Amino acid sequence: QVQLVESGGGLVQPGGSLRLSCVASGDILAINTMGWYRQAPGNQREFLATIGSDGLTNYADSVKGRFTISRDNAKKTVYLQMNSLRPSDTAVYYCTGNIRDLAMAWYDYWGQGTQVTVSS
């Protein structure tokens, strides 16, 4: 069984910063691309950023220059550094990972989400 668990969310003032973490655990043979998405109330889930096992990154235009994705392969962890936060960044943030499990199959796993609220 594979799990992704996010942490680091919370309440922050506009212009502030937060760093989200997501740890993968369980019966993992390999991890390919990892990423972050978010979903605000009444909206669809929105792509934010991905990072490959080689460190290659991709960002949505809405967060480019403000958010930075990184990973520690040894710790099976992906991070999202969020700077210059805006009230419009308020959402539940989800991590995802393309993971090969003991059944030798690749699946896209999702975490349970962590709430980020940007408000004064």
Side-chain angles (χ1 to χ4, degrees), residues 2-20:
V2 174
Q3 281 189 319
L4 296 179
V5 179
E6 301 100 333
S7 62
L11 174 64
V12 63
Q13 291 187 342
S17 298
L18 279 177
R19 188 193 194 206
L20 305 183

Side-chain angles (χ1 to χ4, degrees), residues 29-41:
L29 290 182
I31 303 176
N32 192 3
T33 301
M34 302 188 80
W36 289 94
Y37 289 69
R38 69 186 179 190
Q39 187 167 18

Side-chain angles (χ1 to χ4, degrees), residues 31-83:
I31 303 176
N32 192 3
T33 301
M34 302 188 80
W36 289 94
Y37 289 69
R38 69 186 179 190
Q39 187 167 18
N43 291 355
Q44 291 186 334
R45 192 166 293 189
E46 175 190 11
F47 162 78
L48 298 177
T50 56
I51 183 167
S53 57
D54 57 359
L56 188 65
T57 59
N58 185 35
Y59 293 94
D61 288 342
S62 60
V63 302
K64 199 173 293 184
R66 297 190 301 126
F67 291 8
T68 302
I69 190 170
S70 61
R71 65 191 283 171
D72 185 328
N73 291 329
K75 295 182 178 180
K76 298 185 180 65
T77 300
V78 62
Y79 305 96
L80 187 69
Q81 177 67 43
M82 304 186 295
N83 299 327

Side-chain angles (χ1 to χ4, degrees), residues 11-17 83-90 117-120:
L11 174 64
V12 63
Q13 291 187 342
S17 298
N83 299 327
S84 303
L85 284 163
R86 308 164 180 166
S88 56
D89 293 317
T90 295
T117 302
V118 184
S119 176
S120 55

Side-chain angles (χ1 to χ4, degrees), residues 90-112:
T90 295
V92 177
Y93 284 67
Y94 298 91
C95 74
T96 183
N98 184 238
I99 296 173
R100 193 175 196 181
D101 60 17
L102 290 181
M104 304 297 284
W106 291 92
Y107 291 110
D108 289 329
Y109 290 89
W110 291 84
Q112 82 290 348

